[in-house]
Amino acid sequence: MAELRPSGAPGPTAPPPPGPAAPPAFASLFPPGLHAIYGECRRLYPDQPNPLQVTAIVKYWLGGPDPLDYVSMYRNVGSPSANIPEHWHYISFGLSDLYGDSRVHEFTGTDGPSGFGFELTFRLKRETGESAPPTWPAELMQGLARYVFQSENTFCSGDHVSWHSPLDNSESRIQHMLLTEDPQLQPVQTPFGVVTFLQIVGVCTEELHSAQQWNGQGILELLRTVPIAGGPWLITDMRRGETIFEIDPHLQERVDKGIETDGSNLSGVSAKCAWDDLSRPPEDDEDSRSICIGTQPRRLSGKDTEQIRETLRRGLEINSKPVLPPINAQRQNGLTHDRTPSRKDSLESDSSTAIVPHELIRTRQLESVHLKFNQESGALIPLCLRGRLLHGRHFTYKSITGDMAITFVSTGVEGAFATEEHPYAAHGPWLQILLTEEFVEKMLEDLEDLTSPEEFKLPREYSWPEKKLKVSILPDVVFDSPLH
C-alpha cells in the first residue's frame, strides 16, 4: 500500500529533500544513499525540489509488500527541436542501498554496486491537459522490484520483460518492456557503492518477439529512430497503436538481417517447463530424474543455482568460444565504476574458466529424456535452436514452478557436462542437452509449427526415437499441479 504526497511533505518517513542547499541538520538525518540519488535528481531538475512522490506506507524492511521506499515523479519539458515530447519522469528509490545499515541490503563496500546496483526509471508521454502524473507507473516499478528482490536476478540494459498485459491496465498495445540506460541520469557514487539508472521502455508484443529473436539493444536502437515509438529518449506513449514495423516496414528487414548475422542474445528464460529421465523406471525413487520424488522436489544445489542465475542474469559472451559461467560458491558482482553491467561481462572465452567434471558433485549420463513445456515456453524452442545453438551458444529454461532447469548447449560451448558422447547429462535436477548442428536443423524442420502456436491444439508431442528424445507442449494447468 502506498500514498501520494510531495517529497518534502511532513511525514514520519519523509524528511525534507536534501541537496546542495539542504541544511546540515536535515542532511545528517537523511539516509546517505537516498541523499546521493536525490543529488542527481536535483542536478537534472533544479526547479523541482519537491516532486510528487509515491511512498510506501509500511517500508519493506518493516514487513511491507513494496520493496521501493519511494518513486519520485518529475515533469520533463523534453526538447521540441529534437522531437522529444514533454513527459513524466519516474525515478525509484530502494533497489540500491539507501541506508547502509543492512536493514535491506548487505553492505559490500564502496567499490562495487550499491544494493542491486541500479534504480529504475520510466518516461511516460504527457497527455494534453494533464496537470499531474499518473501513478500507475509506480506500481509497475514496484512489480519489477518485487521480482528482483524475490529472484535476486538483476536487470541489465537490453533485457526484456514479458508482461502480457497493458502496462496501465487499459486496452493499449504496449504490453511488455525493454530496459536501457536512462539518457539523462548519470551513474552515482554513493557511500554504499555505485548506482546506475535503468529506464523501462514500453513495447508491443511484436517488438518484444523481435528483441527475443535478435537482441534488445538492436530493437532499442530502432525505437530511437521512430519518434512516435520512443524517439531519442525512448519515451513510452501508451496510446501508440502501431508497431515500429507497421510504421516503417523496412525495419523488419533490418531485424531479419540482424538475426541471420548475429543470432539471438537471449540466453535463457524463466518458464513453465519440466523434464523426465525415460531411461530409468518411474518407480526407481533413488535415481529417477522426474521433478518430484513423492511430495519432496529435488532441489538445485547452491552452486548450480548460482551458475544458472548467472546465465539468466547476464547472458552469453558473444565470441567464438562460449563458456558456461564457472560454478562459484558466492555471488560474483562483476560490476565496475565506469560502465553499466552488460551481458558480456559474465562469461569469458578463456578455457581456464570452464567447468571440469570433477568440480561437480555427481553428474549422470542419461540415455533418453522427455522435455515438457507450456505453449509460451515451447514457442521459444525455435529461437533457442536457430538463434542460439546454430551460432555456437547455449540457452537455459529455468522452471518457475519447480526447482529445476534445462540447458541446451551446442558443440561449441565449453564447460558443459553434456558431451557428444553423452548428449544428455544431469546434475541433480539440472539437465543439459547437447545438440549437434545436424540434429538442430532436423528439429527446426519438425518444430516449424511452433512458430505459429495459435494454429495447433494442446497437448502436442514431438519425438525423435533415434535420438531417444521426446518433447511435449502441454497446457499451463499441467505445470500448476503439485507434481510440478
Side-chain angles (χ1 to χ4, degrees):
M1 188 175 182
E3 64 178 350
L4 177 66
R5 65 181 177 214
S7 60
T13 57
F26 286 136
S28 63
L29 293 173
F30 213 68
L34 191 60
H35 187 283
I37 299 173
Y38 258 130
E40 176 63 9
C41 295
R42 290 288 293 274
R43 178 194 67 79
L44 187 58
Y45 298 107
D47 58 338
Q48 300 179 60
N50 299 313
L52 282 176
Q53 193 173 69
V54 176
T55 302
I57 295 176
V58 180
K59 297 295 184 279
Y60 193 69
W61 38 274
L62 293 175
D66 299 324
L68 302 176
D69 282 13
Y70 315 98
V71 175
S72 289
M73 302 176 287
Y74 295 89
R75 185 167 177 170
N76 191 304
V77 297
S79 176
S81 62
N83 251 343
I84 299 171
E86 189 171 358
H87 58 279
W88 304 110
H89 193 191
Y90 301 76
I91 302 170
S92 77
F93 297 82
L95 284 161
S96 63
D97 191 351
L98 305 179
Y99 304 98
D101 56 7
S102 298
R103 72 179 73 180
V104 180
H105 300 281
E106 180 182 354
F107 175 59
T108 57
T110 60
D111 294 336
S114 169
F116 288 108
F118 68 96
E119 294 290 352
L120 293 170
T121 74
F122 183 61
R123 294 174 185 266
L124 177 67
K125 183 180 178 182
R126 178 177 172 268
E127 300 296 338
T128 303
E130 202 170 47
S131 59
T135 58
W136 62 261
E139 180 52 38
L140 182 74
M141 297 165 87
Q142 290 284 13
L144 293 178
R146 290 186 198 102
Y147 165 77
V148 172
F149 272 83
Q150 291 166 10
S151 68
E152 296 186 10
N153 293 328
T154 59
F155 291 125
C156 298
S157 179
D159 281 352
H160 74 268
V161 178
S162 303
W163 199 251
H164 301 291
S165 177
L167 303 188
D168 61 353
N169 295 315
S170 68
E171 299 298 319
S172 175
R173 292 185 69 178
I174 308 300
Q175 302 188 8
H176 308 280
M177 293 166 271
L178 298 178
L179 289 127
T180 188
E181 297 92 348
D182 190 282
Q184 289 186 292
L185 291 170
Q186 301 299 313
V188 173
Q189 176 68 59
T190 80
F192 315 126
V194 179
V195 181
T196 59
F197 297 91
L198 284 179
Q199 180 176 315
I200 300 164
V201 182
V203 296
C204 301
T205 298
E206 295 83 352
E207 294 154 359
L208 171 81
H209 289 167
S210 294
Q212 292 175 329
Q213 294 165 20
W214 183 23
N215 62 70
Q217 296 289 7
I219 300 304
L220 288 165
E221 286 304 314
L222 297 185
L223 288 166
R224 289 187 177 98
T225 67
V226 182
I228 63 174
W233 289 3
L234 294 170
I235 297 164
T236 298
D237 181 359
M238 294 303 297
R239 295 192 178 187
R240 174 162 66 98
E242 294 180 300
T243 71
I244 56 173
F245 309 114
E246 293 166 337
I247 296 169
D248 184 354
H250 295 293
L251 296 181
Q252 185 62 59
E253 298 175 7
R254 293 177 60 180
V255 173
D256 293 340
K257 184 176 180 181
I259 295 172
E260 181 181 351
T261 303
D262 306 328
S264 172
N265 269 11
L266 181 65
S267 65
V269 293
S270 296
K272 290 186 176 181
C273 59
W275 64 272
D276 287 316
D277 176 8
L278 298 183
S279 54
R280 295 273 180 175
E283 63 272 11
D284 186 353
D285 284 355
E286 177 63 27
D287 292 314
S288 173
R289 278 289 157 288
S290 58
I291 301 310
C292 292
I293 304 300
T295 60
Q296 298 296 321
R298 292 183 179 271
R299 299 190 60 80
L300 290 167
S301 70
K303 291 182 178 180
D304 287 346
T305 299
E306 179 59 31
Q307 183 176 3
I308 294 170
R309 179 178 295 151
E310 287 295 300
T311 300
L312 294 178
R313 181 163 69 94
R314 294 190 185 166
L316 178 68
E317 172 80 20
I318 305 174
N319 54 32
S320 60
K321 296 178 68 178
V323 181
L324 284 168
I327 290 178
N328 295 314
Q330 298 181 348
R331 179 175 175 177
Q332 300 296 311
N333 291 317
L335 305 181
T336 60
H337 277 80
D338 59 349
R339 57 196 172 105
T340 302
S342 72
R343 292 183 176 276
K344 299 179 69 174
D345 291 339
S346 64
L347 305 177
E348 301 175 7
S349 59
D350 186 349
S351 61
S352 65
T353 65
I355 305 168
V356 293
H358 67 77
E359 291 178 311
L360 303 177
I361 299 171
R362 186 168 82 98
T363 301
R364 295 183 57 249
Q365 284 77 45
L366 315 180
E367 295 180 9
S368 179
V369 295
H370 181 195
L371 310 182
K372 305 171 185 178
F373 303 92
N374 74 336
Q375 187 169 347
E376 182 181 3
S377 303
L380 291 175
I381 296 177
L383 159 67
C384 160
L385 300 177
R386 182 178 291 111
R388 299 296 297 178
L389 269 66
L390 286 183
H391 288 263
R393 303 171 187 169
H394 59 80
F395 190 91
T396 294
Y397 286 94
K398 173 69 173 67
S399 174
I400 59 175
T401 58
D403 196 17
M404 55 79 63
I406 302 168
T407 297
F408 292 90
V409 299
S410 68
T411 53
V413 175
E414 296 184 1
F417 46 80
T419 65
E420 289 191 64
E421 183 180 1
H422 300 289
Y424 312 135
H427 184 62
W430 181 13
L431 174 69
Q432 285 189 8
I433 298 179
L434 187 145
L435 302 176
T436 64
E437 183 175 340
E438 181 181 5
F439 188 27
V440 168
E441 295 284 7
K442 170 63 175 171
M443 291 182 69
L444 283 170
E445 292 180 13
D446 296 340
L447 298 171
E448 186 176 0
D449 57 350
L450 283 179
T451 58
S452 302
E454 66 279 357
E455 297 179 5
F456 64 83
K457 296 181 179 180
L458 301 179
R460 195 168 185 86
E461 186 172 294
Y462 306 86
S463 182
W464 297 270
E466 72 283 3
K467 297 292 186 179
K468 298 182 179 179
L469 175 65
K470 183 165 68 172
V471 173
S472 295
I473 311 299
L474 304 170
D476 281 10
V477 66
V478 173
F479 299 92
D480 295 333
S481 68
L483 291 180
H484 289 89

